[in-house]
Amino acid sequence: MKRVLILGGYGHFGSLISKALAGQDHVRLLIAGRSLQKAQTLAAALPQTPHAPKAVALDIHQDFAAALQSLAPDIVIHTCGPFQGQGYHVAQACIAAGCHYIDLADARQFVAGIDRLHPAAREKNISVISGASSVPCLTAAVIDAYLPRFRHIAEVDMGISTAQRTNRGLATTAAVLGYAGQPFDAKIDGHLQTVYGWQGLVRRRYPNIGARWLADCDVPDLALFPRRYPGIDTIRFRAGLELAPLQWALYALAGLARAGLIPPPNRYAETLLKLSRLLDVFGSETSAFHVRLSGDGHDGQPVTRTFFLLARLGDGIHIPTIPAILLAKRLAQGDALPRGAMPCLNLITLDDYLAALRPLAIDVHRP
């Protein structure tokens, strides 16, 4: 039996991971957060066999290393975002305690820089895995699955369109707003070029749901993929909100922030989240994800392949949690993952990812 500590275990993503791991033969859940009452409420609602989940009051910013030593988990899953601006003290405490570490970070610098902990993690013979989420895990898995069909890939265009009636959390909203109007690099036409968060609006058409607006977003893929796939000329990632007026409003806020006319919009995250929820009646529960690859086939002819996921009934929220769930199960069952600190690449195949999604209301379009 492995003790799995979920930081933010009753939160936006943590509760889904807690539910997925509860009742596993090899897992004893420790559900942690700043509110002991919320942790206890979730723990009581989960299966009590074969091992009853335990609720823990814990703040990652208050004597975390000491709390970790006391709890003695075998695996820690870190869901307490936003990861933009966070340091590595949680991962470093896990290394010191000798327990495996997995996070759901989607912050570019955080995930791309995790390898600085590699020597210490390798010395302790543990796995420290960052970015166990849709980006960069799922996006890389899709590209890897399609690579054999191309002689050369000229462009990879990736995007996520979030359903209006998705159960979105404050931490995720703050992270999204954190880079609105901020400059970052993306590889375009073979060179690094500056783009701006939530600018560069485009429309992408998805099967069965029509076109949605997307805009440039800063994700780990933009730092990791130019090194991982050096032959690809253009690598872009965009995201968007289902309702066009909200997307246009975010575009305008980003423009004002870019011009220095307003502070970074993430300081208004709570207010903006409440306002956006007032429009839920006009939206749906369908989120969309795509990866479009364009280039030349082995016969020299142009080839374009687009992979789509359409998540209905609000099930899109589950997609980012799949890598952490799969990796935690493998570690709990004694599977050997690579030791050291690394982004979540080469650890989960597209087939494994899609198999985990099958019980959900998620349609796969895989040409």
Side-chain angles (χ1 to χ4, degrees):
M1 182 184 69
K2 301 295 184 182
R3 294 165 62 84
V4 180
L5 173 65
I6 304 182
L7 304 176
Y10 53 79
H12 186 56
F13 295 122
S15 61
L16 298 176
I17 296 172
S18 296
K19 293 171 184 175
L21 295 178
Q24 296 285 315
D25 290 340
H26 302 286
V27 171
R28 170 71 188 277
L29 276 184
L30 306 174
I31 299 172
R34 286 179 290 184
S35 169
L36 180 60
Q37 182 180 1
K38 291 180 180 179
Q40 288 173 332
T41 298
L42 178 59
L46 296 176
Q48 301 300 301
T49 57
H51 312 290
K54 179 181 178 182
V56 178
L58 188 153
D59 187 335
I60 64 170
H61 301 295
Q62 299 291 330
D63 299 322
F64 176 71
L68 196 63
Q69 293 287 346
S70 175
L71 293 169
D74 299 288
I75 304 163
V76 171
I77 302 177
H78 183 11
T79 75
C80 301
F83 288 88
Q84 285 82 355
Q86 270 198 48
Y88 295 116
H89 74 282
V90 173
Q92 289 168 326
C94 290
I95 294 172
C99 59
H100 300 292
Y101 166 93
I102 302 166
D103 69 46
L104 274 69
D106 61 357
R108 176 176 179 161
Q109 300 304 325
F110 187 97
V111 177
I114 196 68
D115 57 1
R116 73 185 62 175
L117 304 181
H118 182 74
R122 189 172 178 83
E123 183 178 352
K124 282 295 188 93
N125 195 36
I126 61 170
S127 299
V128 171
I129 301 167
S130 185
S133 189
S134 306
V135 291
C137 180
L138 176 56
T139 44
V142 174
I143 296 171
D144 291 345
Y146 280 87
L147 270 177
R149 304 190 187 187
F150 290 83
R151 184 182 67 181
H152 169 247
I153 297 177
E155 180 179 3
V156 173
D157 174 80
M158 303 167 282
I160 296 174
S161 175
T162 306
Q164 176 63 24
R165 295 211 298 262
T166 254
N167 183 18
R168 51 207 180 276
L170 180 58
T172 302
T173 303
V176 161
L177 292 172
Y179 48 80
Q182 299 303 305
F184 53 88
D185 291 334
K187 187 179 182 182
I188 303 172
D189 297 330
H191 305 284
L192 290 180
Q193 299 186 29
T194 300
V195 296
Y196 294 86
W198 297 106
Q199 301 282 273
L201 279 177
V202 298
R203 293 191 80 191
R204 291 288 180 262
R205 183 166 295 277
Y206 293 96
N208 303 323
I209 63 172
R212 292 188 179 180
W213 290 97
L214 305 173
D216 285 306
C217 284
D218 196 13
V219 294
D221 308 43
L222 300 182
L224 297 170
F225 287 5
R227 298 196 301 268
R228 182 176 175 83
Y229 310 107
I232 298 177
D233 302 318
T234 297
I235 300 171
R236 300 291 291 269
F237 184 92
R238 298 178 175 93
L241 309 174
E242 176 187 357
L243 299 182
L246 284 178
Q247 184 65 49
W248 298 333
L250 181 53
Y251 171 82
L253 284 174
L256 292 172
R258 175 181 173 182
L261 299 177
I262 62 170
N266 59 338
R267 69 171 56 187
Y268 312 117
E270 186 171 4
T271 299
L272 293 173
L273 179 58
K274 290 178 180 177
L275 290 174
S276 74
R277 284 175 173 157
L278 296 176
L279 300 179
D280 283 0
V281 66
F282 300 107
S284 74
E285 295 180 302
T286 301
S287 297
F289 168 93
H290 81 270
V291 177
R292 186 180 68 187
L293 302 99
S294 304
D296 298 325
H298 295 286
D299 60 359
Q301 296 301 308
V303 176
T304 297
R305 293 288 182 269
T306 306
F307 173 91
F308 293 104
L309 291 180
L310 295 178
R312 298 174 286 105
L313 306 180
D315 278 357
I317 189 176
H318 291 271
I319 296 174
T321 68
I322 296 299
I325 293 167
L326 293 179
L327 294 174
K329 286 181 177 179
R330 287 169 59 182
L331 288 169
Q333 293 166 2
D335 288 0
L337 293 179
R339 299 310 197 228
M342 66 207 78
C344 191
L345 302 168
N346 302 323
L347 299 177
I348 297 171
T349 67
L350 179 59
D351 286 339
D352 289 340
Y353 211 119
L354 297 183
L357 294 176
R358 273 191 206 115
L360 303 169
I362 295 178
D363 301 326
V364 180
H365 297 255
R366 187 179 182 179

